Amino acid sequence: QVQLVESGGGMVQAGGSLRLSCVASGRTFSSYAMGWFRQAPGKERELVAGISGRGGATYYAESVKGRFTISRDNAKNTVYLLLNNLKTEDTAVYYCASTEGPQIRVGGPYAFWGQGTQVTVSS
């Protein structure tokens, strides 16, 4: 049993920042890599950031590189995504997801998913 709960979404102006949080329960958190995905209307779901089980390795999509930062606090069973310098094209539902191993997976599989949190960036 794994439950992932995202929070921290909202509406911000372009150039602003948000921090998303995802709290996991039901598993040994540090054993699993985590990813943040987003899906905008009419677009495919995409992986925007990933982090290894202990946080030593990260991955970012080119579209967010240099603006977003993924981190985790395994003592709190929480993974974060800091979104800086937001652009209107960052508007999407953001999901956190858990792998079945400690290494980042770009193509999958991600076995468990949160319900998503809406990020809306206005101009």
Side-chain angles (χ1 to χ4, degrees), residues 4 19-22 24 27-36 50-58 60 69-82 97-99 101-104 110:
L4 305 174
R19 189 178 76 161
L20 309 182
S21 299
C22 175
R27 71 193 306 181
T28 304
F29 187 65
S30 63
S31 296
Y32 301 96
M34 300 290 295
W36 282 98
I51 188 165
S52 59
R54 293 193 175 276
T58 57
Y60 298 96
T69 303
I70 189 170
S71 62
R72 66 193 298 160
D73 185 342
N74 287 345
K76 297 180 179 180
N77 284 5
T78 302
V79 62
Y80 304 95
L81 186 68
L82 177 63
S98 175
T99 71
Q103 295 183 336
I104 298 169
Y110 284 82

Side-chain angles (χ1 to χ4, degrees), residues 2-117:
V2 175
Q3 183 177 358
L4 305 174
V5 180
E6 302 100 332
S7 63
M11 179 178 289
V12 297
Q13 293 185 2
S17 299
L18 285 172
R19 189 178 76 161
L20 309 182
S21 299
C22 175
V23 180
S25 63
R27 71 193 306 181
T28 304
F29 187 65
S30 63
S31 296
Y32 301 96
M34 300 290 295
W36 282 98
F37 293 79
R38 68 184 181 187
Q39 187 165 25
K43 299 290 186 179
E44 296 276 339
R45 185 183 64 194
E46 63 173 339
L47 176 67
V48 298
I51 188 165
S52 59
R54 293 193 175 276
T58 57
Y59 163 86
Y60 298 96
E62 286 294 326
S63 59
V64 307
K65 193 175 298 181
R67 299 188 297 118
F68 292 6
T69 303
I70 189 170
S71 62
R72 66 193 298 160
D73 185 342
N74 287 345
K76 297 180 179 180
N77 284 5
T78 302
V79 62
Y80 304 95
L81 186 68
L82 177 63
L83 298 77
N84 287 327
N85 192 23
L86 282 161
K87 304 175 180 180
T88 56
E89 53 262 44
D90 295 320
T91 295
V93 177
Y94 285 72
Y95 301 88
C96 69
S98 175
T99 71
E100 293 291 339
Q103 295 183 336
I104 298 169
R105 287 182 165 85
V106 176
Y110 284 82
F112 301 98
W113 296 80
Q115 79 288 347
T117 186

